[in-house]
Amino acid sequence: MNKTPLTSGLLVIFGITGDLSRRYLLPALSDLAAQNLLPEQFEIIGTTRRRVTAADVLGQVSSEAAAQLAGRLRIVQMDPTLEADYRALKSTLDRIEDERGVCLNRLFYLSIPPGTYGPVVDLLGTSGLNTGCQHGEADSRVMIEKPFGYDLESARELIARIKHSFKESQIYRIDHYLAKETAQNILVFRFTNPIFEAVWDSGSIQDITITASETIGVEGRAAFYESTGALRDFVQNHLLQLLAITTMEKPRVLDSDHIHREKLKLLRSIRKIKPNKVAEVSARGQYRGYAEEVGNPDSTTETFARLKLRIGNERWNEVNLTLQTGKRLNKRSTEIVITFAAQQGSTPNTLRFRIQPDEGIDIDLQAKKPGLDNKTEQVEMAFTYAESFGLKTQPNAYERVLMDGIRGDQTLFATSDEVIASWEIVEAVVREWSKNGDGLTIYDPGTPAANIN
Ligand code: BG6
């Protein structure tokens, strides 16, 4: 067979009929196809237990997406717990390569419940799907959705288990927040604008607050959410990753290895929360109506979480850090607000990274109000992606996630060490909150994050 084209691929999506695939993966693949960004040698194989056809699956997405993907998707019906079915899957992949006369990279996307990652990865390994085609010319990669583990211990177990079948260089732990254009811009903004580098420490900054506020509820994911909650769903991964890229030291080189090294150092320097301090540094809430929605009137699962943290290094020692997220709040917005220390009597300046929507960066400044007296007023200096770059929409994060998986770039994925370091940060809170519902605030849908205490 011929040598593998650099970005060729067979993308196998486990859970092709699921919510993630319908809402994010298939639309992202269709957008990539529409822009001619998919490799020439590329095919999507969707696996499901159900008896469905490619047309059935494409019937669930927009007609534009269906038109782009028609002819590129084939369905393999399989039970992901049965070894024999993996042999059948392997024969399908081998056959496609035989037909095309080329070895193709294999990408396994696990869009399935987190509890099944371990067994599925084991079976990918035992059936030989953890290596490329027979001739060893191509790579095999596995892409795994968050949450990676349920707590520190289960994350450690899962990491050890997956290691038996895949090497770290083959594992892509997805955190789609890192793939958002605006999140990546934080690094560019920080490290290529010297005026900000000069004030990026506790000498100038007093507070960093990262808020991910959603208006949606649990959207039919009751079983998943009920056993997950906001802390595991958002804080342990998306918010800690955003905090890490906002506060890490400048990597010597802006490549995958160096960025991961600095992010890890930062995550490891966040001070551990003592069990007896959890109540003091955290808050949790549940939107009114949630318990009925998930069919568990006694539910203590939080749909809102706030955590106050400190970084134990010289640069950030005295700075207050707050991470907060919630569902059914007053607005959909993810932002990082950096508040600079104010001189006595003056209003602090703030710098705001608007991750979404209306992506951009603002700085609040004091300006003299026009007129003959000396009144001042707060004004905003704003950079908006849409205006500056004439873009109506940002590339979807999942386009980037899939593209990087296809081309084998691990920069925007979480390493096993980062996953562990992040679980270590939230571990005490996970434990305390699992004991009982003490301190759980019930909030009305539409409440602003800042009002939940
Ligand atoms: C996912 C969470 O990781 O991110 C969901 O599991 C959440 O609960 C979603 O709704 C939000 O992503 P985005 O890109 O729409 O902000």
Side-chain angles (χ1 to χ4, degrees), residues 14 47 53-54 60 67 105 165 202 220 222 241 249-250 324 328 335 339 341 386 396-397 409 421:
F14 280 80
T47 83
T53 62
Q60 305 287 307
N105 292 323
S165 306
S202 53
Q241 286 284 344
E249 295 297 314
K250 182 177 184 171
Q324 53 186 0
R328 285 230 193 285
E335 58 179 29
T339 306
N396 178 303
D409 182 344

Side-chain angles (χ1 to χ4, degrees), residues 42 53 81 155 210 282 339 373 406 451:
F42 186 75
T53 62
T81 62
I210 306 184
S282 68
T339 306
D373 53 17
I406 293 167
N451 293 4

Side-chain angles (χ1 to χ4, degrees), residues 306-324:
R306 180 184 300 119
L307 216 52
K308 291 194 174 293
L309 299 171
R310 283 293 176 114
I311 298 173
N313 68 19
E314 219 176 298
R315 184 187 287 273
W316 297 113
N317 233 337
E318 299 305 318
V319 179
N320 298 313
L321 308 167
T322 304
L323 306 183
Q324 53 186 0

Side-chain angles (χ1 to χ4, degrees), residues 25-89:
L25 303 182
L26 293 172
L29 286 163
S30 124
D31 285 346
L32 291 172
Q35 298 165 72
N36 270 328
L37 291 174
L38 289 180
E40 215 171 288
Q41 300 276 7
F42 186 75
E43 207 162 314
I44 308 161
I45 295 96
T47 83
T48 172
R49 288 171 197 257
R50 299 193 206 162
R51 196 177 285 276
V52 293
T53 62
D56 296 333
V57 171
L58 295 179
Q60 305 287 307
V61 297
S62 72
S63 50
E64 295 82 31
Q68 286 295 344
L69 299 177
R72 285 184 184 268
L73 171 69
R74 68 174 93 187
I75 302 294
V76 170
Q77 192 190 357
M78 66 178 278
D79 179 341
T81 62
L82 292 183
E83 189 163 3
D85 285 9
Y86 286 76
R87 286 198 290 274
L89 174 65

Side-chain angles (χ1 to χ4, degrees), residues 23-24 145-147 176-177 180 214 216-219 221 224-225 233-234 237-238 327 332 334 356 397-398:
R23 278 177 50 200
Y24 294 105
E145 270 294 337
K146 50 147 279 279
H176 79 281
Y177 265 61
K180 289 183 189 279
E214 295 192 284
I216 55 169
V218 293
E219 309 298 296
R221 297 193 304 159
F224 162 77
Y225 202 85
D233 189 39
F234 244 106
N237 34 73
H238 302 325
K327 294 205 179 278
R332 173 174 179 260
T334 302
Q356 64 185 27
Y398 275 94

Side-chain angles (χ1 to χ4, degrees), residues 120-264:
V120 167
V121 170
D122 289 350
L123 289 167
L124 285 171
T126 50
S127 58
L129 283 163
N130 52 351
T131 58
C133 77
Q134 307 89 305
H135 309 280
E137 295 272 7
D139 278 345
S140 174
R141 304 175 189 137
V142 60
M143 302 184 78
I144 304 180
E145 270 294 337
K146 50 147 279 279
F148 197 87
Y150 183 74
D151 53 16
L152 181 57
E153 197 187 329
S154 61
R156 282 202 177 115
E157 278 167 18
L158 187 59
I159 285 166
R161 184 167 180 178
I162 294 179
K163 249 193 202 145
H164 289 299
S165 306
F166 288 89
K167 294 194 285 269
E168 184 72 19
S169 60
Q170 296 177 284
I171 306 168
Y172 290 67
R173 296 177 196 83
I174 297 161
D175 189 310
H176 79 281
Y177 265 61
L178 287 177
K180 289 183 189 279
E181 195 83 358
T182 30
Q184 292 162 58
N185 197 30
I186 296 172
L187 296 182
V188 175
F189 183 86
R190 283 189 56 198
F191 299 132
T192 59
N193 293 298
I195 54 166
F196 293 105
E197 244 191 289
V199 291
W200 219 249
D201 57 31
S202 53
S204 306
I205 292 175
Q206 65 183 40
D207 186 289
I208 300 179
T209 297
I210 306 184
T211 306
S213 161
E214 295 192 284
T215 51
I216 55 169
V218 293
E219 309 298 296
R221 297 193 304 159
F224 162 77
Y225 202 85
E226 187 48 10
S227 62
T228 305
L231 187 68
R232 292 185 177 92
D233 189 39
F234 244 106
V235 181
Q236 185 271 338
N237 34 73
H238 302 325
L239 297 190
L240 281 173
Q241 286 284 344
L242 289 180
L243 178 65
I245 54 179
T246 306
T247 54
M248 71 186 195
E249 295 297 314
K250 182 177 184 171
R252 208 159 40 79
V253 188
L254 273 180
D255 66 9
S256 181
D257 276 358
H258 290 85
I259 292 176
H260 283 303
R261 210 172 298 162
E262 290 304 338
K263 253 197 322 183
L264 180 63

